[in-house]
Each structure stands twice: as structure tokens, then as C-alpha cells.
């Protein structure tokens, strides 16, 4: 098995300078407006309430722009996310510790937002007139962006809230406002050398991501959870990637064969067989790839066990 050297070369090269952490005030790598498979921003609210949870009443629901009015207000210091229909409403408040701003990450030991103390973050989810006097919980921020005035323009977050007691039944939810998917996930079969039989998902709350051109192909990286991953992807010789197309793949591209080389944590393949499906693809005005999504199946050294993965970079 190939070890170490290629990984070190990629990490210390141009890609290291392109590592992307979503900022508070700048929309980084925004997808182009017109391209095959252009990504669509997601605005949605989903919650799941355990039996006995007072706020959610043990229910589960999903609200989209087509069925509800969904807004995000406030600032990076204190976000107010609201969902309303003709007969329902929900408020989700996420607050940074006093004197700070929210950024991608995990916020533990949250208190009721308006009454948070010391350095605690704030959380307060209420609905249809039901609210908590005391809040115990945590939330994660995957993406957050603001405009030049400080107003929220992008939000992707999840929360877990317990009402009145840290052991009370939980209300869990996901809020998305004009967010594009950003993640790397993989499942490794038992016996797969690269993934070591493990499954993990990387999101903006725990990990950073980068994307750059590499000849006619793409170089993608994810770093987080004590892991480093790189995917080198190339279209078949003489072709360009097309959204919605599935390619047979080997480690190096050739006529009719895409290039696929996914490696991480010092482990890589000498030879690869597999499959690559490009699901989303968007370009900027300069012709550079700005958004990309794909799934892959990679077999190392002709073996049966595979590494299965999905890439979402603002797509």
C-alpha cells in the first residue's frame, strides 16, 4: 500500500493555502448562477421531539419555503430563526457567549439565550406559545455568513434542547437558511485499507474543506475529527466533467476512464478501480469550479472491500 509521501506533498502544496473555513462576513466560493447541475440554496426547518418534551409535544415535522414562511434575523452575536404557517409558529434563538460572535463549531452547555450567564452560549427554541423557563442543551453551527451590515445571510445549524432539566426529554432540530451543502462522508467496508472499516461524516461544525482545480480535474480536501482526506478527481482524457454522469474510474484518467484517488491519514492506493458519479457542478465567471458534489466507490489494489464516499462543496 502507498503510504505518506503523496499525502504530505498535497497537504503542504497549494491546497494548504486554500483551506476554507466559512467566515462570518464573506460568502466564500459562492456557486455560479448558471451551470449544469447548479446547486440550489436550502431553506428548511426540521425538528424531532422525544415523548414527554413539552415544546415539541413528541412530534416530528419539516417545514420548507413552499409550505411556510422562514426567516433569519439578528446578527452573528444573536441569531433569530423563525418559521410560521397559517396555524403554527416556531422560534429558534442561537446566541454566542457574551462579547463574541458565532462561527462554525460546537457550542456546549447552552443556557436560555436571553438569560445566559458568564461565557455560556445561548439557546431558546419555542413554538405555538410553549417555551422553557430554563434551557439545557447544545448546538452546532456548520455555516454562518453576514452581509456588510452584519445581517444574517446564510445559516446552517443543529440543536438539542432540554426544558427545565438537563435530563428532560430532548427536542432536536436543524435550521437551514440559504445554505448550500458542505460535507464529506464515507463508509469503509471491513477490510478496506484506506478507511479501515470506519464510517464518519464531516460537517462545517467540526471540519474545514477546500476545492481547487488540478489540470482538467479537481482537488478536494477535508480536515477534522483527527483526520485528513484528499480526493484527486479527473475526467476521462479529452473530456470535461458533466453533472449527472457516472464514470468508471481508475487511479489515473485515460480514454473513457475517470481518475479517482481518495487517500487520507497516510494511507493511499497504488492501483484503483471504482466508480465516480458527479451530481452537481457549477463554475464561476472565471471558469473555475466553485461548487461540486459527487459520490464514489473506490477499491484498492483490485480488492473487493470498498471505500464509499460523498463530497459536497457548496452543492
Amino acid at each position: 500500500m502507498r503510504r505518506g509521501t503523496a499525502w504530505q506533498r498535497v497537504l503542504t502544496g497549494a491546497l494548504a493555502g486554500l483551506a476554507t473555513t466559512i467566515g462570518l462576513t464573506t460568502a466564500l466560493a459562492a456557486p455560479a448562477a448558471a451551470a449544469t447541475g447548479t446547486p440550489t440554496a436550502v431553506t428548511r426547518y426540521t425538528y424531532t421531539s422525544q415523548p414527554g418534551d413539552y415544546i415539541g409535544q413528541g412530534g416530528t415535522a419539516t417545514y420548507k419555503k413552499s409550505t411556510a414562511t422562514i426567516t433569519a434575523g439578528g446578527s452573528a452575536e444573536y441569531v433569530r430563526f423563525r418559521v410560521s404557517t397559517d396555524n403554527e409558529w416556531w422560534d429558534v434563538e442561537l446566541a454566542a457567549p457574551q462579547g463574541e460572535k458565532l462561527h462554525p463549531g460546537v457550542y456546549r452547555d447552552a443556557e436560555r439565550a436571553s438569560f445566559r450567564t458568564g461565557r455560556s452560549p445561548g439557546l431558546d427554541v419555542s413554538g405555538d406559545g410553549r417555551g422553557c423557563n430554563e434551557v439545557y442543551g447544545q448546538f452546532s453551527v456548520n455555516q454562518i455568513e453576514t452581509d456588510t451590515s452584519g445581517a444574517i445571510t446564510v445559516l446552517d445549524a443543529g440543536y438539542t434542547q432540554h426544558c427545565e432539566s438537563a435530563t428532560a426529554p430532548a427536542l432536536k432540530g436543524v435550521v437551514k437558511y440559504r445554505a448550500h451543502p458542505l460535507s464529506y462522508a464515507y463508509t469503509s467496508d471491513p477490510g478496506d485499507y484506506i478507511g479501515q472499516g470506519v464510517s464518519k461524516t464531516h460537517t462545517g461544525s467540526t471540519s474545514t474543506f477546500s476545492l481547487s482545480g488540478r489540470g482538467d480535474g479537481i482537488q478536494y480536501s477535508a480536515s477534522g475529527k483527527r483526520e485528513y482526506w484528499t480526493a484527486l478527481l479527473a475526467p476521462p482524457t479529452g473530456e470535461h466533467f458533466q453533472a449527472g454522469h457516472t464514470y468508471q474510474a481508475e487511479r489515473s484518467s485515460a480514454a473513457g476512464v475517470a481518475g479517482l484517488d481518495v487517500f487520507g491519514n497516510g494511507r493511499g492506493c497504488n492501483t484503483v478501480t471504482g466508480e465516480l458519479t458527479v451530481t452537481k457542478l457549477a463554475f464561476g465567471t472565471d471558469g473555475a469550479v466553485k461548487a461540486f458534489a459527487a459520490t464514489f466507490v473506490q477499491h484498492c489494489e483490485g480488492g473487493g472491500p470498498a471505500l464509499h464516499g460523498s463530497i459536497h462543496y457548496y452543492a
Side-chain angles (χ1 to χ4, degrees):
M1 294 293 181
R2 177 169 55 90
R3 296 176 182 268
T5 55
W7 170 241
Q8 294 295 327
R9 182 176 67 252
V10 171
L11 186 60
T12 56
L15 187 59
L18 295 173
T20 300
T21 301
I22 300 178
L24 294 171
T25 59
T26 305
L28 299 179
T36 303
T38 298
T40 301
V42 177
T43 297
R44 183 174 66 232
Y45 175 57
T46 300
Y47 76 86
T48 300
S49 169
Q50 292 181 340
D53 166 54
Y54 172 63
I55 307 302
Q57 300 283 288
T60 299
T62 297
Y63 302 85
K64 301 179 181 179
K65 288 172 57 178
S66 59
T67 59
T69 300
I70 303 176
T71 60
S75 65
E77 290 87 354
Y78 199 118
V79 178
R80 294 176 175 85
F81 180 88
R82 168 161 284 193
V83 180
S84 62
T85 67
D86 290 341
N87 52 15
E88 296 176 281
W89 63 264
W90 286 88
D91 278 336
V92 179
E93 298 181 4
L94 306 176
Q98 296 285 357
E100 300 181 21
K101 293 183 177 181
L102 293 171
H103 55 79
V106 179
Y107 293 82
R108 297 180 174 86
D109 299 321
E111 302 176 359
R112 186 177 173 190
S114 297
F115 302 97
R116 64 197 187 280
T117 61
R119 301 187 184 279
S120 296
L123 170 67
D124 193 358
V125 183
S126 57
D128 295 337
R130 297 182 300 274
C132 306
N133 291 302
E134 294 282 346
V135 166
Y136 300 81
Q138 70 174 48
F139 61 92
S140 59
V141 176
N142 294 314
Q143 299 177 54
I144 184 167
E145 298 174 16
T146 62
D147 61 18
T148 55
S149 72
I152 296 295
T153 57
V154 173
L155 179 66
D156 181 351
Y159 70 81
T160 299
Q161 173 179 278
H162 304 271
C163 237
E164 318 305 352
S165 165
T167 59
L171 174 67
K172 298 183 179 183
V174 174
V175 299
K176 293 182 182 289
Y177 181 73
R178 298 178 180 174
H180 291 89
L182 180 67
S183 65
Y184 171 64
Y186 69 89
T187 298
S188 172
D189 294 339
D192 166 54
Y193 172 66
I194 307 303
Q196 298 284 288
V198 172
S199 298
K200 283 191 180 180
T201 298
H202 293 263
T203 61
S205 63
T206 60
S207 307
T208 58
F209 309 88
S210 62
L211 182 78
S212 63
R214 187 174 183 270
D216 292 329
I218 288 170
Q219 184 166 308
Y220 171 86
S221 176
S223 172
K225 296 184 175 181
R226 302 177 184 268
E227 295 188 327
Y228 304 88
W229 287 91
T230 291
L232 305 180
L233 312 173
T237 302
E239 300 183 28
H240 298 285
F241 276 136
Q242 296 182 32
H245 195 84
T246 297
Y247 304 87
Q248 295 304 303
E250 298 178 2
R251 187 180 172 203
S252 297
S253 60
V257 179
L260 171 66
D261 189 7
V262 182
F263 52 95
N265 304 320
R267 296 183 297 272
C269 306
N270 292 300
T271 62
V272 167
T273 55
E275 188 175 273
L276 173 67
T277 299
V278 177
T279 54
K280 297 285 184 179
L281 182 63
F283 300 89
T285 55
D286 60 355
V289 176
K290 295 297 184 182
F292 179 80
T295 61
F296 65 83
V297 179
Q298 174 179 278
H299 301 267
C300 252
E301 323 304 355
L307 177 69
H308 311 258
S310 64
I311 293 168
H312 291 278
Y313 189 83
Y314 298 101

